[in-house]
């Protein structure tokens, strides 16, 4: 009988012909059904040729070695995978070999910078979080720190609780964005000097010595600057692209890494892209942008986390969670649980926070003048330490800013510091104050002159010029005596000019013509000009004879808030709109952001010669 024909079971005849019974139902079925039923669960299963498709992402607990609490290292992996900067972040499908390999990022050497490219909603932010959490589970907060610029939708804010994270900020806080990059750059600058002093020849030596406890004074380990949303940074913070390129070129030598997420490889400048040697290419918006293979990139399915490796194999990123659930709809809860567990098991110090300039700086928080010619102008942004102005090196100062941005307040602070450094016999002040806002700042015993109109100003400057002319060194003064300044006696002369734009506009002849020739020798003859003017028309106003002469003798400038429409000032510096009291301190060597102090208007008058 062939397969497929029906098999009929024989009927059972009744034993008694007089008894009537209901006929039994015939059981029918094909021989194939019967054979298949009897072969079910008999013997080993057949070999499955193809693995299931890459559609359910793995979780970190499935890729990493066993994870658990450790008395010294917190919640971390067990075994050899800890502290090596080598972490799995997904799985690679190799169908012809019928295997799936781990997608591993090895960041200890030349591949320490990471680039991630993918279309919107392709899984870039998830992969960034996966890499950060994988490093957090394999390293302590003393070994790895993260500083994040989140322009990709705010997903990185969920990692703030990790003790490895020193800061997360976005486009809404441009000051913190700038400070974050400055903080990372300061790590490189500090380690350049540190490596030279300690004889450390490579970052591998640094890691080894630090792991052995030989370098306890460095609060950072391997530092990762994470940027999710490169296109936003390039459009809104274009002036930060060059510093980031320099970080990419110098950072790996000192344990500083970049982790950059972008929608297209072409958005990243060539100099920076060349440094991103660890690359993850997710599904792209246009396959033409692929750096792997255009045809292969076009076949990547629209599944978040799917991408291509350098050898054109497909991969699927892992999810940053430890509960074994390969679902993304509740990913935020899974990330929060991971962060809480890691934070709860770490009892040591967290990653150093990004230091920020205060929005308001109390003048009482600044130190006293150092010596007799160095006064603190405020706090500078790089190290958040006092920025000193040394009148023995830079005898003059220019201040420019909009109305109500802190020009007069800064002049009052400088006057106060001068009176803290000198007695009336050692230092005297001349005030040019057409609006009379500094009248009560300087007591009578310190005033050598006070001009509120054109004629008194001309007389005051002419008299000062005659006195200063006697201090000009003659031909027989040696270089050693120039530094000692022992051929003249008398007080240092500080001329403070507020609202210089009013002074210049009200006079037909230049009021400072008598002292212009002495400005270059201000440090040797004890002459110091501090000139403040409005930002209105600053582009033209800086060509004034006095201000031009001050710039010619390399006078530093404090540029407070100023409209960018004024054009480039002080050697190509672009003005910025800044909060009140915030400024740019500009010299020929560098430009640094500065927070100037706010004086207490009700505070006591400084004691004469407090630190002299």
């Amino acid at each position: 009988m062939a397969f497929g024909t029906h098999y009929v079971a024989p009927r059972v005849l009744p034993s008694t012909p007089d008894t009537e019974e209901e006929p039994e139902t015939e059981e029918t079925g094909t021989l194939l059904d019967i054979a298949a039923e009897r072969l079910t669960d008999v013997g080993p299963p057949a070999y499955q040729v193809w693995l299931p498709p890459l559609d359910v992402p793995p979780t970190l607990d499935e890729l990493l070695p066993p994870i658990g609490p450790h008395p010294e290292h917190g919640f971390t992996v067990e075994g050899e995978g800890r502290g090596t900067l080598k972490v799995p972040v997904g799985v690679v499908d190799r169908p012809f070999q019928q295997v799936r390999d781990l997608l591993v990022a090895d960041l200890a050497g030349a591949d320490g910078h990471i680039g991630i490219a993918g279309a919107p909603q392709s899984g870039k932010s998830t992969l960034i979080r996966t890499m950060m959490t994988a490093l957090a589970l394999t390293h302590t907060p003393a070994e790895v720190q993260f500083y994040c610029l989140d322009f990709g939708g705010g997903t990185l804010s969920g990692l703030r609780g990790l003790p490895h994270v020193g800061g997360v900020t976005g486009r809404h806080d441009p000051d913190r964005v700038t400070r974050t990059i400055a903080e990372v750059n300061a790590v490189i600058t500090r380690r350049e000097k540190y490596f030279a002093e300690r004889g450390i020849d490579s970052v591998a030596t640094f890691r080894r010595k630090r792991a052995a406890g030989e370098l306890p004074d460095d609060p950072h380990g391997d530092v990762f600057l994470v940027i999710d949303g490169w296109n936003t940074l390039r459009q809104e913070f274009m002036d930060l692209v060059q510093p980031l390129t320099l970080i990419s070129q110098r950072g790996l030598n000192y344990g500083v890494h970049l982790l950059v997420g972008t929608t297209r490889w072409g958005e990243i400048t060539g100099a920076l892209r060349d440094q991103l040697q660890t690359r993850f290419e997710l599904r792209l918006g246009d396959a033409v942008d692929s750096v792997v293979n255009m045809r292969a990139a076009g076949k990547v399915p629209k599944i978040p986390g799917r991408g291509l490796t350098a050898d054109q194999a497909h991969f699927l990123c892992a999810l940053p969670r430890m509960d074994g659930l390969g679902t993304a709809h509740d990913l935020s809860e899974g990330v929060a649980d991971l962060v809480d567990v890691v934070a709860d098991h770490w009892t040591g110090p967290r990653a150093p926070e990004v230091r920020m300039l205060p929005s308001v700086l109390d003048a009482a928080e600044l130190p006293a003048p150092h010596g007799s010619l160095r006064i603190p102008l405020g706090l500078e942004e790089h190290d958040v330490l006092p920025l000193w102005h040394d009148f023995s090196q830079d005898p003059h100062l220019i201040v420019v800013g909009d109305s109500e941005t802190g020009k007069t307040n800064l002049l009052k602070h400088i006057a106060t510091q001068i009176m803290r450094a000198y007695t009336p016999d050692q230092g005297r002040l001349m005030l040019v104050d057409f609006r009379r806002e500094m009248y009560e700042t300087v007591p009578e015993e310190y005033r050598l002159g006070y001009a509120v109109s054109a004629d008194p100003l001309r007389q005051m400057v002419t008299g000062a010029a005659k006195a200063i002319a006697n201090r000009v060194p003659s031909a027989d003064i040696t270089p050693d005596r120039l530094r000692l300044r022992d051929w003249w006696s008398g007080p240092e002369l500080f001329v403070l000019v507020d609202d210089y734009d009013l002074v210049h506009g009200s006079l037909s002849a230049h009021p400072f013509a008598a002292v212009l020739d002495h400005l270059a020798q201000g440090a040797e003859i004890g002459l110091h000009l501090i000139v403040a003017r409005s930002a209105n028309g600053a582009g033209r106003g800086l060509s004034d004879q006095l201000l031009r002469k001050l710039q010619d003798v390399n006078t530093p400038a404090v540029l407070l808030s100023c409209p960018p429409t004024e054009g480039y000032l002080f050697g190509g510096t672009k003005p910025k709109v800044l909060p009140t009291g915030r400024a740019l301190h500009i010299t020929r060597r560098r430009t640094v952001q500065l927070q100037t102090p706010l004086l207490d208007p009700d505070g006591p008058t400084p004691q004469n010669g407090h630190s002299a």
Side-chain angles (χ1 to χ4, degrees), residues 117-318:
Q121 302 300 313
S122 62
K124 297 187 300 297
S125 298
T126 300
L127 179 53
I128 289 175
R129 287 184 292 172
T130 298
M131 185 163 292
M132 291 177 61
T133 50
L135 287 166
L137 289 170
T138 54
H139 300 78
T140 67
E143 295 170 330
V144 165
Q145 299 87 35
F146 301 98
Y147 297 90
C148 306
L149 305 180
D150 188 1
F151 307 127
T155 57
L156 298 186
S157 60
L159 301 178
R160 291 179 189 270
L162 277 178
H164 305 70
V165 176
V168 179
T169 189
R171 60 190 296 272
H172 61 279
D173 194 347
D175 285 343
R176 189 172 291 273
V177 170
T178 304
R179 278 294 307 134
T180 299
I181 296 178
E183 192 80 18
V184 173
N185 198 36
V187 173
I188 298 176
T189 303
R190 184 174 66 249
R191 284 185 177 172
E192 285 179 333
K193 182 179 180 181
Y194 189 77
F195 280 23
E197 292 175 349
R198 297 297 185 96
I200 300 174
D201 58 353
S202 67
V203 68
T205 303
F206 169 78
R207 294 185 185 119
R208 187 174 63 254
K209 287 180 175 291
R210 201 170 188 279
E214 300 179 19
L215 306 174
D217 51 342
D218 193 332
H220 292 92
D222 277 86
V223 176
F224 286 80
L225 177 58
V226 183
I227 305 172
D228 186 10
W230 175 262
N231 189 45
T232 300
L233 182 141
R234 186 173 63 91
Q235 291 178 351
E236 301 191 16
F237 302 93
M238 188 61 191
D239 54 338
L240 298 179
V241 173
Q242 183 62 25
L244 288 170
T245 303
L246 294 177
I247 289 176
S248 72
Q249 296 169 351
R250 303 163 54 209
L252 292 183
N253 295 327
Y254 303 100
V256 175
H257 311 255
L258 286 180
L259 173 52
V260 180
T262 182
T263 54
R264 296 176 60 247
W265 292 117
E267 293 174 351
I268 305 177
T269 59
L272 176 57
R273 186 171 62 248
D274 291 343
Q275 304 297 325
L276 305 178
Q277 291 299 304
T278 296
R279 299 179 183 177
F280 297 102
E281 184 174 290
L282 300 168
R283 177 183 57 83
L284 298 171
D286 189 345
V288 175
D289 299 324
S290 174
V291 296
V292 177
N293 183 278
M294 182 175 62
R295 294 181 181 275
K299 298 178 182 179
V300 176
K302 293 185 178 181
I303 298 176
R306 288 289 298 270
L308 282 179
T309 64
D311 57 358
Q312 301 182 30
H314 285 238
F315 69 79
L316 178 62
C317 302

Side-chain angles (χ1 to χ4, degrees), residues 423-443:
T423 64
D425 293 335
Q426 297 170 330
R428 301 293 290 274
L429 292 91
M430 287 183 172
L431 301 179
V432 181
D433 186 19
F434 279 29
R435 288 200 170 102
R436 298 169 174 82
E437 295 183 358
M438 299 182 61
Y439 181 80
E440 297 180 355
T441 303
V442 181

Side-chain angles (χ1 to χ4, degrees), residues 399-405 407 435 499-502 504 533-542 547 559-563 565-567 569 575:
V399 181
V400 176
D402 258 341
S403 300
E404 305 298 327
T405 58
K407 300 188 303 297
R435 288 200 170 102
D499 297 308
Y500 179 69
D501 46 313
L502 298 181
H504 178 64
R533 66 150 290 142
S534 172
N536 296 329
R540 300 183 305 274
L542 290 178
L547 296 180
L559 181 59
L560 294 151
S561 181
C562 179
T565 53
E566 291 295 335
L569 307 174

